[in-house]
Amino acid sequence: MYIQLKDFRLAYTDAGQGPPLLFVHGYPLSRGLWEPQIEALVDVARVLAPDLRGFGDSQPVPGPYSMELFADDLNAFLDALEIDEPAVICGLSMGGYVTFAFYRKYAHRVRGLVLTSTRAVPDSAEGKARRDQAAAEAMQAGVASVVDGMIPKLLAPQNLKNRPELVERASAIMSSASLQGVVGALNAMKDRPDSTPTLGRIAVPTLIVHGAEDSIVPLAEARQIADAIPGARLEVIPDAGHLLNIENPEAYNRVVRQFLGSLGA
Ligand code: MLT
């Protein structure tokens, strides 16, 4: 499905019935990431999964992008669908950075948070330099070169080695990222604000979910987030790296389903 927002056409999935559950994908992914969750959770939620601007089937629009701009897009998306009821927002990695930005600006729209494979701290100086290198590579060698280079980091080592279908799937999910999306998101991540001060102010039920073998965001960072958010709980998913929700969907879906159940009507 598509919906026209102010300056671009956004592609999304809207499935199931119940309280809204909004999934926000990471970089350089798309809503295809959430397929196992969409299938498994439609009986308990109205599952919404947009492609962020520049990714998946959403229109590639020129930058600059920012986490706040992505959050504004989500707000406009909920407005366009006339969803007034506060939603559970579930963001993975960059989707988590967007979720923090969304919470800062639109807390009244948030029923709960599921922070997946994400971090609160901003990029280090070396991290920022790596963003610049990746953007230069995308412009010179093409998006595929950057995307292919990411695969080994996204999955737990044993999944990378033994599950070729998963490697193929991760690659397919990233295949529609546009150059504008990739460069826009790299710059937006590089300049993203520190979300650490936000953590103590989060006043909605929050679940942190992290892969035991995430090599992009170390588990220690998820523990710090869980410690800093009042009442938050951390669930560690075994046999999974950064893309835990497709590496071990049964375990991931189980903890998300339990969390939704704990929120009540
Ligand atoms: C993501 O998965 O969204 C990115 O790897 C996050 C990042 O590069 O900081």
Side-chain angles (χ1 to χ4, degrees):
M1 280 180 261
Y2 292 91
I3 200 156
Q4 182 64 40
L5 300 185
K6 202 167 65 184
D7 63 339
F8 77 108
R9 203 171 65 130
L10 177 137
Y12 67 102
T13 299
D14 178 355
Q17 277 172 352
L21 170 61
L22 175 62
F23 282 110
V24 190
H25 65 78
Y27 161 92
L29 302 152
S30 69
R31 72 189 196 280
L33 176 72
W34 302 114
E35 218 175 271
Q37 285 65 52
I38 295 168
E39 273 169 23
L41 298 170
V42 283
D43 60 329
V44 288
R46 177 173 177 188
V47 184
L48 303 160
D51 281 336
L52 296 172
R53 59 172 65 215
F55 293 93
D57 299 319
S58 280
Q59 208 176 340
V61 265
Y65 294 8
S66 66
M67 294 306 139
E68 189 178 347
L69 179 65
F70 285 136
D72 290 343
D73 289 343
L74 297 180
N75 183 57
F77 169 59
L78 293 173
D79 277 349
L81 294 188
E82 298 181 1
I83 294 177
D84 298 326
E85 190 183 339
V88 171
I89 318 290
C90 176
L92 181 138
S93 202
M94 182 183 81
Y97 313 156
V98 176
T99 302
F100 288 131
F102 188 86
Y103 189 79
R104 281 192 284 275
K105 211 163 166 183
Y106 305 108
H108 62 283
R109 298 200 97 146
V110 182
R111 172 76 181 94
L113 298 175
V114 182
L115 300 169
T116 302
S117 308
T118 199
R119 55 163 46 107
V121 293
D123 276 5
S124 62
E126 301 77 49
K128 286 179 196 284
R130 280 196 297 273
R131 304 283 189 207
D132 288 339
Q133 280 162 14
E137 182 185 338
M139 286 187 283
Q140 277 154 25
V143 167
S145 163
V146 173
V147 163
D148 291 348
M150 283 199 71
I151 295 268
K153 293 182 263 176
L154 293 173
L155 305 174
Q158 68 276 24
N159 293 335
L160 188 65
K161 186 160 166 253
N162 302 327
R163 296 176 62 189
E165 80 293 346
L166 202 56
V167 174
E168 223 168 90
R169 185 163 184 184
S171 170
I173 293 169
M174 298 191 283
S175 63
S176 45
S178 69
L179 180 61
Q180 283 157 322
V182 164
V183 173
L186 283 167
N187 285 321
M189 288 193 285
K190 173 178 144 185
D191 294 335
R192 75 184 186 279
D194 184 2
S195 289
T196 313
T198 307
L199 303 177
R201 298 201 295 264
I202 293 178
V204 293
T206 300
L207 174 68
I208 322 293
V209 198
H210 215 83
E213 294 166 72
D214 191 332
S215 63
I216 294 187
V217 183
L219 183 54
E221 296 205 32
R223 290 197 204 285
Q224 281 159 11
I225 294 180
D227 287 344
I229 300 178
R233 215 182 65 234
L234 169 67
E235 293 280 357
V236 180
I237 304 297
D239 283 325
H242 195 60
L243 299 188
L244 68 178
N245 68 304
I246 62 169
E247 297 181 75
N248 191 345
E250 297 78 17
Y252 184 82
N253 293 345
R254 189 164 49 242
V255 298
V256 173
R257 180 181 276 275
Q258 274 165 5
F259 176 70
L260 297 177
S262 74
L263 298 179

